[in-house]
Amino acid sequence: MISNKPMDIPCSLQERKILEKIALAAKDLHLPAYLIGGFVRDKILGRRTKDMDVVCVGDGIALAHKVAESLGEKVPVSFFKTYGTAQVKWNELEIEFVGARKESYRQESRNPEVTEGTLQDDQNRRDFTINAMAISLREEDYGSLLDPFNGMEDLEAKIIRTPLEPSQTFSDDPLRMMRAIRFASQLQFTIVQEAFTAIQENAERIRIISQERITDEFNKIMLSPKPSVGLDLLYKSGLMKIILPQMVDLVGVEMLEGKGHKDNFYHTLQVVDNISQNTRDLWLRWAALLHDIAKPATKKFEPGHGWTFHGHDALGGKMVTRIFSKFKLPMGDKMRLVKKLVELHLRPISLTKENITDSAIRRLLFDAGDDIDGLMLLCEADITSKNKVKVKRYLENFELVRARMKEVEESDRIRNWQPPITGEMIMEIFGLSPGRVVGDLKTAIREAILDGEIPNTYEAAYAFMLEKAKSFNLTPVK
Ligand code: CTP
């Protein structure tokens, strides 16, 4: 029994059980093995984690097979011979095995030349001191922390620092620039100045990284507790300009005739933070990020009046499609949701004015459908005035709009509503084939109901349709 020795990191019983198996398998194969990387970091921080990385001085794939064998007959091992890595899945855990290595990189690629190495070599090639800590699984010092770069101190001081010269670390693998910023945002840590300067100097090298990996890190920033931390670092490092330049176009305030507008970049960051306090939904956070994205393209100065951004909602919707495509984000429902929220983000605020009719409320409910709650979250997040009295008034007005929406929804059930006469019915009644007239008639009926001109019943809609059809010279065929 090895695992009854105390460990320098807190582990659950189940984790200790698996670590014992790994230690015994490594002992059998005479391979020194160590837990390393994110698992060690997260355990010390008390974060939940399901990924274990094990490094051994020797053949990692052989160790993985031996461990899988000791876990039971049916535990599969997936391995990648070229990289010398193997993965074992056991219950919830994903355990990654790799032989300790030394890496050297070439300028034009993030694929290193790899040679076998010692534990120290392997720790040297890691991205950050907090990710380079190891826990021994060897019998002689089982459970002890091997921390040559004082990662523990950096964890306590909440600092992100590279084990080696930072420019080397980032140039070797430029994805690490995104990772540094992601950890800073996720863990609320500070990147040491020297490392941040190296990111600024190496920012251009992000271009050799695939979009999928960039997007993956970007989304982790978006899902962090306060995404503005990471988004602002992306901007200040020069990475944002390369990966999402439309965001950088939002930066700054222009003054004319003594009139300025708000800095739309920092306003946007505030909106993302605000919405993040109320939802963990990545797509609602993306909607917040992109809600004003078309402001620079629609900006105009109207003498005597000030700055306007007419149409930034509609154009913003179009830009969402382009940005999602570039970021290789899902182009289906998720994209449609973000697009719709960007397009509709000005509507609820316009309903806070006085004398709003039921039909205006009904129309918004119809346009937003089931996404109305997400839209309201976005609009509330969009209130970033520093004036507390103003914020309070806006929020109260939104509560009134919510109450009105509830009333209208209860009486009309408009959210997922379909007009009582469909396109198929129109074609059958007038003997038409699909075409523009059918669409026009359908829209006219829908609009008349939404405007409250006619009641939401089949009979009323039918009568209205017959009347309307006359202007198209149509008469029913039966
Ligand atoms: N690593 C690295 N450089 C990278 C990616 C990873 O040096 N570009 C090293 C780090 O030591 C890291 C370990 O490989 O801790 C495991 O990487 P990964 O599982 O991607 O990240 P974690 O640190 O575990 O963090 P997370 O799970 O949050 O991504």
Side-chain angles (χ1 to χ4, degrees), residues 203-246:
E204 277 295 320
R205 274 184 64 71
I206 199 68
R207 295 187 198 275
I208 66 167
I209 301 295
S210 72
Q211 184 61 51
E212 288 80 354
R213 300 182 91 123
I214 293 175
T215 298
D216 199 37
E217 292 299 330
F218 194 92
N219 281 342
K220 286 181 179 170
I221 293 171
M222 290 296 286
L223 284 172
S224 63
K226 207 173 161 212
S228 65
V229 173
L231 295 169
D232 198 26
L233 288 172
L234 283 177
Y235 165 57
K236 290 184 171 139
S237 64
L239 287 167
M240 190 72 100
K241 178 93 195 144
I242 302 168
I243 62 175
L244 189 48
Q246 294 90 334

Side-chain angles (χ1 to χ4, degrees), residues 37-38 41 53 126-127 131 173 176 179 182-183 220:
R41 178 199 68 221
D53 286 300
R126 304 244 159 205
D127 52 3
N131 289 344
D173 178 358
R176 290 169 170 172
R179 281 173 61 87
R182 183 258 287 190
F183 284 121
K220 286 181 179 170

Side-chain angles (χ1 to χ4, degrees), residues 17-293:
K17 205 164 135 196
I18 183 93
L19 291 173
E20 160 93 10
K21 302 246 184 213
I22 300 170
L24 287 174
K27 188 180 160 198
D28 272 3
L29 295 175
H30 304 289
L31 294 177
Y34 310 87
L35 258 179
I36 196 155
F39 186 82
V40 179
R41 178 199 68 221
D42 285 343
K43 281 286 146 186
I44 297 171
L45 287 174
R47 295 174 90 220
R48 281 162 64 89
T49 172
K50 294 191 181 94
D51 298 333
M52 266 185 190
D53 286 300
V54 176
V55 64
C56 69
V57 184
D59 186 352
I61 298 180
L63 179 58
H65 278 106
K66 187 93 187 161
V67 171
E69 211 177 278
S70 75
L71 287 171
E73 263 174 32
K74 293 221 170 62
V75 178
V77 180
S78 26
F79 59 93
F80 309 92
K81 236 184 170 143
T82 17
Y83 299 106
T85 61
Q87 198 192 55
V88 173
K89 284 192 186 171
W90 193 65
N91 295 340
E92 297 249 271
L93 280 176
E94 282 187 16
I95 316 160
E96 190 98 23
F97 293 85
V98 64
R101 32 188 195 173
K102 217 175 174 164
E103 290 175 350
S104 52
Y105 289 80
R106 290 182 306 270
Q107 251 316 93
E108 70 285 359
S109 148
R110 68 179 289 262
N111 298 323
E113 264 170 40
V114 180
T115 46
E116 279 182 22
T118 60
L119 172 68
Q120 175 84 41
D121 290 330
D122 203 275
Q123 285 173 304
N124 283 342
R125 72 171 184 88
R126 304 244 159 205
D127 52 3
F128 308 117
T129 58
I130 59 168
N131 289 344
M133 294 183 282
I135 289 283
S136 171
L137 300 177
R138 301 180 306 179
E139 193 167 19
E140 59 269 32
D141 57 351
Y142 185 87
S144 24
L145 182 71
L146 306 167
D147 182 16
F149 306 108
N150 293 325
M152 192 70 181
E153 257 174 41
D154 289 347
L155 264 191
E156 274 158 15
K158 297 178 179 274
I159 277 174
I160 293 168
R161 182 200 309 276
T162 56
L164 304 178
E165 213 276 302
S167 224
Q168 179 75 42
T169 301
F170 294 128
S171 163
D172 279 354
D173 178 358
L175 183 70
R176 290 169 170 172
M177 301 188 284
M178 296 284 303
R179 281 173 61 87
I181 292 173
R182 183 258 287 190
F183 284 121
S185 203
Q186 240 176 9
L187 306 174
Q188 320 238 348
F189 278 26
T190 308
I191 304 173
V192 292
Q193 187 55 49
E194 198 197 354
F196 195 69
T197 307
I199 297 179
Q200 289 172 317
E201 285 164 6
N202 284 280
E204 277 295 320
R205 274 184 64 71
I206 199 68
R207 295 187 198 275
I208 66 167
I209 301 295
S210 72
Q211 184 61 51
E212 288 80 354
R213 300 182 91 123
I214 293 175
T215 298
D216 199 37
E217 292 299 330
F218 194 92
N219 281 342
K220 286 181 179 170
I221 293 171
M222 290 296 286
L223 284 172
S224 63
K226 207 173 161 212
S228 65
V229 173
L231 295 169
D232 198 26
L233 288 172
L234 283 177
Y235 165 57
K236 290 184 171 139
S237 64
L239 287 167
M240 190 72 100
K241 178 93 195 144
I242 302 168
I243 62 175
L244 189 48
Q246 294 90 334
M247 282 299 294
V248 178
D249 294 341
L250 292 169
V251 175
V253 177
E254 210 174 324
M255 291 287 284
L256 266 182
E257 295 177 6
K259 288 197 166 85
H261 56 78
K262 60 188 162 201
D263 181 314
N264 288 306
F265 179 74
Y266 286 104
H267 162 70
T268 294
L269 263 46
Q270 177 75 57
V271 178
V272 177
D273 280 354
N274 287 351
I275 208 166
S276 301
Q277 287 185 359
N278 294 317
T279 178
R280 278 198 48 78
D281 186 305
L282 175 63
W283 309 109
L284 292 184
R285 292 181 180 202
W286 263 99
L289 185 78
L290 300 181
H291 78 287
D292 276 347
I293 200 71

Side-chain angles (χ1 to χ4, degrees), residues 321-332:
T321 317
R322 274 179 255 147
I323 290 171
F324 265 56
S325 160
K326 151 123 202 291
F327 260 63
K328 296 200 166 32
L329 287 165
M331 295 300 285

Side-chain angles (χ1 to χ4, degrees), residues 289-353:
L289 185 78
L290 300 181
H291 78 287
D292 276 347
I293 200 71
K295 274 199 166 172
T298 53
K299 181 162 112 172
K300 284 206 175 66
F301 185 80
E302 287 175 10
H305 176 66
W307 296 97
T308 65
F309 303 91
H310 293 310
H312 79 272
D313 39 354
L315 182 62
K318 293 205 176 83
M319 289 174 74
V320 168
T321 317
R322 274 179 255 147
I323 290 171
F324 265 56
S325 160
K326 151 123 202 291
F327 260 63
K328 296 200 166 32
L329 287 165
M331 295 300 285
D333 289 351
K334 305 303 180 199
M335 192 277 287
R336 278 192 291 275
L337 166 70
V338 174
K339 185 176 159 70
K340 183 166 158 188
L341 296 191
V342 171
E343 282 168 353
L344 296 179
H345 81 270
L346 298 174
R347 295 272 293 277
I349 195 95
S350 67
L351 296 184
T352 58
K353 314 267 151 56

